[in-house]
Amino acid sequence: MGLPALEFSDCCVDSPQFRERLKSHELELDKTNKFIKELIKDGKALIQALKNLSTAKRKFAESLNEFKFQCIGDAETDDEICIAKSLQEFAGVLQNLEDERTRMIENASDVLILPLERFRKEQIGAAKEAKKKYDKETEKYCTVLEKHLSLSAKKKEAHLHEADNQVDIVRHHFYEVSLEYVFKVQEVQERKMFEFVEPLLAFLQGLFTYYHHGYELAKDFNHFKTDLTISIQNTRNRFESTRSEVECLMKKMKENPHEHKSISPHTMEGYLFVQEKRSFVSTWVKYYCIYHREPKRMTMMLFDQKSGGKNGDEESFTLKSCTRRKSDSIEKRFCFDIEAVDRQGVITMQALSEEDRRLWMEAMDGREPVYTLNRDSQNEAMAQLDVIGFNVVKKFIYAIETRGIDEQGLYRIVGVSSRVQKLLSLVMDPKTCADVELNSTEWEIKTITSAIKHYLRMLPAPLMTYQYQRSFIKAAKLDNPEARVAEIHSIVHRLPEKNRQMLELLMKHLAEVASHHQQNLMTVANLGVVFGPTLLRPQEETVAAIMDIKFQNIVVEILIENHERIFKDMPVSGGGQGNSQPNPPRRRSEGSKTPSCSERPLTLFHTPSFSDKDKVEKRNSVVVNSSADLSSVNCNIALSFSRLDSLPTGDGDHDGLQLPKQSRPSSLQNPKVLSSVSTGPASPSPTSPRSPSWPTLSAPSSESSPVSPPARKARALYACKAEHDSELSFIAGTVFEDVHSSREPGWLEGTLDGKTGLIPENYVEFV
């Protein structure tokens, strides 16, 4: 398991867990620093000691072989795995070269020693200085805070106000130093992945130059060297993208730390001073407290922020009540009393501020007024996946592919923001869209490419949806490359229909862009860096989510490289997770033929909403057709369904759900069995894809007086192929007329195109 991500929000809480995670990063940096020092020492010995060259090389190889990279996060990309294995590869090369030492190593100091020393001094040294500053500010903040909290409430208001301001300044400075230190620590951890390995790669390249007898070995190593260079470059590119995101998040938290402070609805935690009376003397002891709202359980632990260590065992109790202490009843400020169910007496606690006390009392249902912390969520999204959106993107793509597909830095070089906004406002407005001429020199290619990216960012949700964001990331983390493609293939066909169509349009275009990478320098990896964060942006902005950007990029790379297979072919049944469909209520007799599609699990897919008339007329189509004139936004879109045996995977609304399989009699020999429709709310089932109010079938209470409901319309949720003449074949979205109960349990009877037949009950919903 890699190093845990350090969240900036934890800097404000400064919990013991945060300190432990920070300490693991510090230990890793110390380990890296010691290793680099040892590596530099071994490198110098290798250069200077020609007589002991063989011994020095073996020692150097052993040092490389023993070191293991620790990456942030729970998984590594192929590039990171390649980089992590590179040291072992280098060790093997050096061991093989030991028998063929022929020439002195030249210029090793410039390509190996100096870069490592520079990395150690500039990066690790800077991290150490940041740690000293952080420890100093921690001690200063704790000292000032303790002194401040010791002030008597009887002091003058002006004096107290001045003291509060002074503490706020020290606290704010402490938070800034803490954020900067965390940022620097994680930056060094990421930098070492390329700044540490690159000098080693250059050193080995120098060895191959001077070792005539190692020529054949160098040829064998050349393939790995190429992969490693690409991996380093990809890692560097992802680092630059990740670093800018993390730095942006840090700046946001610096500017508004309270807005980004995470407040859990289930727990409240922080430091509290607890009054303890011993031998008629009252002392205030600092505890780190965690309160769980649901079981009303409070846990306290002695923890020294200065030393970063626990001073005792945890103590927990169940809360009974919480009452605010009046300022005239105690000398300390920000105090409140709590009573415990399993502990005698009243416990007096002191919060760190008035705001902190309010939050604690809200969490423990005290008598303080409840304030709701509302965060303004501004949704400025104006773009939609509608006719206008599709045609605008097609228009942009056509202009790019005809005018500037060979421009260097395509999609990477951004356009002027004001021009991009103007272009989007014109093409998205039906009144002005026809007047926009993208073939003119008025609109630069970088403006058009930026407009596409901005349009995708303006969507209410990312194109590949929040729902499947984690699924795509998990697929990219699979070890087997073919399994990654298969899983992503499956997930893509679970996206909503419009999202999948837009994604197919975009990936086909990006594949065309990548095919011109010799001219535009935009490889598949570079396009992944550009579009990964846009198409798969997370719902919550955290450091851990930013660290997953590299896997978002990999998903986009896979989509570009395999776009024909993913979008034109249906995923293999069982290849992905959650693409099952409810079985119709039938039972096969022994020795029967191979199961039909109605007995096999079918895939779920998104069904666009039409009027009843449109559903009947258009239920056989799902393909988007646009007019030949790409300059016109008013295109007519028609949808066409594919064959039953190649149904697309669903939008995820019924992801992974299986309905219980019912048995159907082989013949209709029991006329007394009659099903009725119960329109009342049914109890929800964890395996049912419909809401609790979905009409279900129930047996009549009396055989002599069956209840026949009035005929109603119903819509097909899934596709089904008939096995008997008495059944109806249909596809999802089909609307049936005159639907009523049948004599077979689990089946309804309905009319489609003038033909009456049986319909599986769990395949339809009433409309």
Side-chain angles (χ1 to χ4, degrees), residues 100-281:
E100 299 184 12
R101 41 186 151 84
T102 58
R103 189 176 294 193
M104 181 188 296
I105 302 173
E106 296 179 359
N107 298 327
S109 178
D110 294 335
V111 299
L112 177 67
I113 305 302
L114 294 180
L116 292 178
E117 287 180 340
R118 184 165 55 250
F119 173 76
R120 178 171 164 267
K121 292 177 181 178
E122 294 179 1
Q123 300 301 326
I124 299 180
K128 287 186 176 182
E129 291 298 323
K131 174 175 171 53
K132 292 179 182 179
K133 185 177 180 181
Y134 175 69
D135 292 338
K136 182 179 179 181
E137 289 300 323
T138 300
E139 184 174 0
K140 178 181 178 181
Y141 168 65
C142 294
T143 303
V144 171
L145 183 62
E146 292 176 4
K147 182 178 179 181
H148 174 67
L149 294 175
S150 300
L151 290 176
S152 174
K154 297 180 180 179
K155 295 278 187 179
K156 292 183 179 180
E157 188 66 25
H159 181 74
L160 294 175
H161 183 68
E162 182 180 356
D164 289 343
N165 291 337
Q166 183 180 1
V167 170
D168 288 340
I169 293 172
V170 174
R171 181 187 295 112
H172 183 71
H173 186 61
F174 169 70
Y175 288 162
E176 284 189 349
V177 172
S178 178
L179 289 169
E180 292 173 354
Y181 178 51
V182 169
F183 173 75
K184 187 61 181 178
V185 167
Q186 296 192 113
E187 179 188 12
V188 175
Q189 294 285 17
E190 289 292 300
R191 275 183 178 276
K192 71 179 182 182
M193 295 297 292
F194 52 87
E195 290 195 1
F196 180 38
V197 177
E198 270 187 324
L200 297 172
L201 183 62
F203 169 72
L204 287 179
Q205 187 61 40
L207 286 180
F208 292 139
T209 304
Y210 295 103
Y211 279 10
H212 175 73
H213 296 287
Y215 175 72
E216 291 298 327
L217 183 60
K219 283 188 5 180
D220 296 337
F221 184 79
N222 191 59
H223 178 70
F224 177 78
K225 183 191 70 173
T226 302
D227 290 343
L228 181 58
T229 304
I230 295 173
S231 296
I232 292 173
Q233 186 59 44
N234 291 341
T235 305
R236 183 191 297 276
N237 293 340
R238 290 168 186 153
F239 164 77
E240 294 298 337
S241 174
T242 302
R243 184 181 183 278
S244 61
E245 294 285 342
V246 176
E247 189 174 15
C248 180
L249 178 59
M250 183 189 73
K251 289 179 180 178
K252 289 180 183 177
M253 298 196 68
K254 277 186 175 182
E255 294 171 358
N256 300 298
H258 295 292
E259 289 186 9
H260 293 271
K261 184 178 180 181
S262 58
I263 300 177
S264 171
H266 307 292
T267 60
M268 176 68 188
E269 55 184 303
Y271 287 97
L272 291 172
F273 285 81
V274 180
Q275 186 182 37
E276 295 183 355
K277 297 180 179 179
R278 298 173 184 173
S279 303
F280 305 100
V281 177

Side-chain angles (χ1 to χ4, degrees), residues 435-628:
D435 300 330
V436 179
E437 291 292 338
L438 295 180
N439 291 328
S440 68
T441 56
E442 179 185 2
W443 304 110
E444 295 179 286
I445 291 297
K446 65 181 181 181
T447 303
I448 301 175
T449 56
S450 297
I452 289 182
K453 293 186 291 183
H454 192 66
Y455 165 80
L456 295 172
R457 286 192 290 266
M458 288 165 60
L459 294 173
L463 187 60
M464 298 171 75
T465 72
Y466 292 127
Q467 179 181 0
Y468 292 110
Q469 196 261 354
R470 291 306 307 166
S471 299
F472 279 112
I473 296 298
K474 289 179 181 178
K477 292 180 179 179
L478 294 176
D479 294 333
N480 189 328
E482 184 58 33
R484 295 178 200 164
V485 178
E487 184 63 18
I488 290 174
H489 189 180
S490 173
I491 301 171
V492 164
H493 283 267
R494 277 183 265 160
L495 290 172
E497 187 68 25
K498 291 183 179 179
N499 294 60
R500 187 168 70 251
Q501 291 171 357
M502 179 63 78
L503 187 62
E504 179 181 4
L505 181 67
L506 184 62
M507 291 303 113
K508 182 179 179 181
H509 166 62
L510 294 182
E512 181 67 19
V513 172
S515 67
H516 292 72
H517 70 274
Q518 295 289 355
Q519 293 78 30
N520 58 34
L521 306 182
M522 292 304 292
T523 62
V524 172
N526 290 338
L527 291 171
V529 171
V530 173
F531 282 92
T534 299
L535 300 179
L536 273 171
R537 67 178 184 268
Q539 202 159 9
E540 184 179 359
E541 189 178 16
T542 62
V543 173
I546 294 174
M547 292 302 171
D548 276 341
I549 288 178
K550 52 194 174 188
F551 295 105
Q552 299 171 10
N553 303 344
I554 291 174
V555 172
V556 175
E557 293 174 23
I558 291 174
L559 290 173
I560 296 174
E561 292 175 339
N562 303 273
H563 72 281
E564 291 188 358
R565 167 186 169 185
I566 289 176
F567 293 101
K568 291 185 179 180
D569 300 336
M570 294 303 302
V572 179
S573 179
Q577 299 175 355
N579 56 350
S580 58
Q581 175 175 334
N583 294 322
R586 62 180 74 241
R587 180 182 62 201
R588 295 173 55 227
S589 60
E590 295 181 2
S592 61
K593 60 184 173 109
T594 304
S596 68
C597 71
S598 59
E599 291 176 291
R600 297 194 302 268
L602 297 178
T603 54
L604 300 177
F605 64 98
H606 177 69
T607 305
S609 60
F610 306 108
S611 64
D612 289 346
K613 180 179 179 181
D614 290 338
K615 290 169 185 171
V616 176
E617 294 176 353
K618 299 182 181 179
R619 64 173 180 264
N620 294 324
S621 74
V622 206
V623 176
V624 175
N625 298 318
S626 62
S627 65

Side-chain angles (χ1 to χ4, degrees), residues 309-341:
K310 296 181 181 179
N311 296 331
D313 297 331
E314 294 183 356
E315 180 182 359
S316 61
F317 52 84
T318 302
L319 181 70
K320 181 179 179 182
S321 65
C322 173
T323 309
R324 180 178 64 86
R325 283 291 294 266
K326 295 182 179 180
S327 57
D328 56 359
S329 65
I330 190 170
E331 291 186 355
K332 300 283 186 178
R333 298 194 298 161
F334 320 134
C335 294
F336 57 93
D337 294 337
I338 62 173
E339 293 183 89
V341 175

